[in-house]
Amino acid sequence: METNKVLSALCYFSIFFAGFLFPLIVYFVSDHPYVKKDAKAAFLSHLLPVVAVPFVIAGLFLDMGVFASGAGLPIFTVIMIGLAILLSVVVVIWNVYKGIKVLL
């Protein structure tokens, strides 16, 4: 198996062991344009769940009155946490799919 394919696949699979750090290092170290393209795509996809954090914080602020009064369900917070979890699961599945696709 070609080393460049394995390195590209590892960039996608690094969501399980190195987060966005491994694709960033590979992007700056590798000279092969195909590997650089995959490292950049993996890096950006690893950052997507981080984008959901401000929305969860916004949900907490929108439900501040519900938390203070103790009455009712903090619906905005529940929705935002659910969307963040859904986004994270989709990103993991997409990275596994792309990693396998690169190897084949």
Side-chain angles (χ1 to χ4, degrees):
M1 186 167 289
E2 194 175 322
T3 307
N4 291 329
K5 283 186 175 185
V6 173
L7 197 55
S8 292
L10 279 176
C11 286
Y12 289 112
F13 293 143
S14 70
I15 197 162
F16 295 116
F17 61 88
F20 60 88
L21 187 61
F22 185 77
L24 188 64
I25 292 170
V26 169
Y27 181 78
F28 287 117
V29 171
S30 177
D31 293 333
H32 198 270
Y34 181 73
V35 174
K36 279 184 153 316
K37 180 185 75 75
D38 284 330
K40 181 179 175 183
F43 174 73
L44 292 175
S45 71
H46 291 8
L47 286 180
L48 277 178
V50 176
V51 172
V53 171
F55 292 109
V56 172
I57 293 171
L60 288 170
F61 280 115
L62 288 172
D63 282 334
M64 196 72 71
V66 174
F67 289 130
S69 68
L73 181 69
I75 193 71
F76 290 119
T77 304
V78 171
I79 289 173
M80 293 304 164
I81 290 174
L83 288 175
I85 290 171
L86 180 66
L87 178 65
S88 297
V89 168
V90 168
V91 166
V92 167
I93 291 170
W94 186 81
N95 277 297
V96 169
Y97 167 75
K98 291 293 283 187
I100 292 171
K101 187 176 174 182
V102 165
L103 288 176
L104 299 177

